[in-house]
């Protein structure tokens, strides 16, 4: 288990910001909760005012794959390029499901994905990522506010 | 101008978490962008899975008051208590407009507001806040990711 401190996040987020810059997104879509802090930082760094969020619930039905419900109430007006933001592509199932959903629901918009971490065992590889994760990541937002 | 570093945010957010605990919110509503990082931290600390977001645009028409447009695509299912989260009540106009809008649109839900900072000159006082702001606050998320 690796504690991921704010200072490291700061460096990685600046690296990620430079990677996504060429895509030139007009809005960010944060996957809640994991992508909230990162999308805030990227929005400030890239000077993007529009940040929307989407969330999922996972139902473990002890099937082969978990069932993912996506709660999407987004409204994208006159947008061509949107960056989808999450902390990590771990199993990759949530990100894959969300990207598939977005492509189907908003065919006129190009969506690309960005995460801080990518596990090589993930079934989905984000368009932009910074670090390969080999260990369990203990993000500062998951540890620093617990009782 | 006061730089508001992550370590101070960490302490204040834990203080805020303890203040809002009695309200026992079932979901958080982040005001984008300012409330995104804080709502992420509070959601983790309070173990609240549902975080939605709302955003506003301000049109300075050089009138007495700015015109605020609220982009609200929220869907609250079976909720009684929701905590509205922003970084600061500065002029207070955005928060006041949002709280009024929410009370009208979702009369069955009780909304309370929480911020890290409150300026005594604000026209709206959040239900929960931590520090009085006398200076311009340079939040770490506004400084650390700029070019």
């Amino acid at each position: 288990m690796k504690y991921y401190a704010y200072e490291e996040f700061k460096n990685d987020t600046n690296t990620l910001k430079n990677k996504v810059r060429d895509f030139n997104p007009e809005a960010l879509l944060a996957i809640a909760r994991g992508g909230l802090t990162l999308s805030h930082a990227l929005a400030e760094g890239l000077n993007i005012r529009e940040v929307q969020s989407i969330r999922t619930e996972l139902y473990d039905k002890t099937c082969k794959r978990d069932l993912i419900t996506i709660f999407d109430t987004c409204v994208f007006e006159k947008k061509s390029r949107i960056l989808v933001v999450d902390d990590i592509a771990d199993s990759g199932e949530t990100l894959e499901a969300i990207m598939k959903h977005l492509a189907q629901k908003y065919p006129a918009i190009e969506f690309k994905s960005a995460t801080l971490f990518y596990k090589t065992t993930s079934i989905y590889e984000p368009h932009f990522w910074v670090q390969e994760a080999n260990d369990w990541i203990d993000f500062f937002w998951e540890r620093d506010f617990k009782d």
Side-chain angles (χ1 to χ4, degrees), chain A:
Chain A
M1 181 123 108
K2 171 200 155 70
Y3 176 64
Y4 188 66
Y6 176 71
E7 281 304 313
E8 201 176 348
F9 168 80
K10 178 178 152 182
N11 293 333
D12 287 348
T13 299
N14 277 302
T15 302
L16 189 60
K17 181 187 75 170
N18 290 323
K19 286 181 186 242
V20 306
R21 203 187 290 274
D22 282 350
F23 176 50
N24 196 20
E26 298 147 319
L28 300 186
L29 178 54
I31 301 180
R33 298 177 298 190
L36 287 167
T37 298
L38 177 58
S39 65
H40 192 181
L42 285 175
E44 293 283 352
L46 294 165
N47 205 18
I48 293 172
R49 292 199 58 82
E50 184 169 337
V51 182
Q52 297 192 48
S53 62
I54 200 170
R55 71 190 174 85
T56 59
E57 278 177 18
L58 217 78
Y59 296 99
D60 184 358
K61 301 284 186 195
T62 53
C63 302
K64 217 171 169 186
R65 280 235 197 151
D66 293 336
L67 286 173
I68 298 168
T69 305
I70 298 171
F71 296 89
D72 170 14
T73 61
C74 294
V75 176
F76 300 116
E77 282 174 350
K78 297 177 202 151
K79 295 284 178 295
S80 315
R81 293 174 309 281
I82 293 176
L83 189 69
V84 180
V85 177
D86 207 353
D87 49 0
I88 181 169
D90 196 329
S91 77
E93 291 187 15
T94 302
L95 253 173
E96 192 196 52
I98 286 175
M99 296 305 284
K100 207 173 272 181
H101 158 85
L102 293 170
Q104 281 169 358
K105 189 168 174 191
Y106 312 98
I109 301 174
E110 185 183 8
F111 292 93
K112 289 199 175 184
S113 56
T115 62
L116 294 164
F117 288 93
Y118 166 59
K119 261 195 191 150
T120 49
T121 51
S122 170
I123 58 165
Y124 175 86
E125 183 181 350
H127 297 85
F128 310 101
W129 54 270
V130 181
Q131 285 202 51
E132 203 176 295
N134 302 303
D135 201 355
W136 180 267
I137 314 291
D138 192 20
F139 292 100
F140 65 86
W141 51 76
E142 288 175 347
R143 186 195 288 187
D144 291 355
F145 309 98
K146 291 274 182 269
D147 289 322

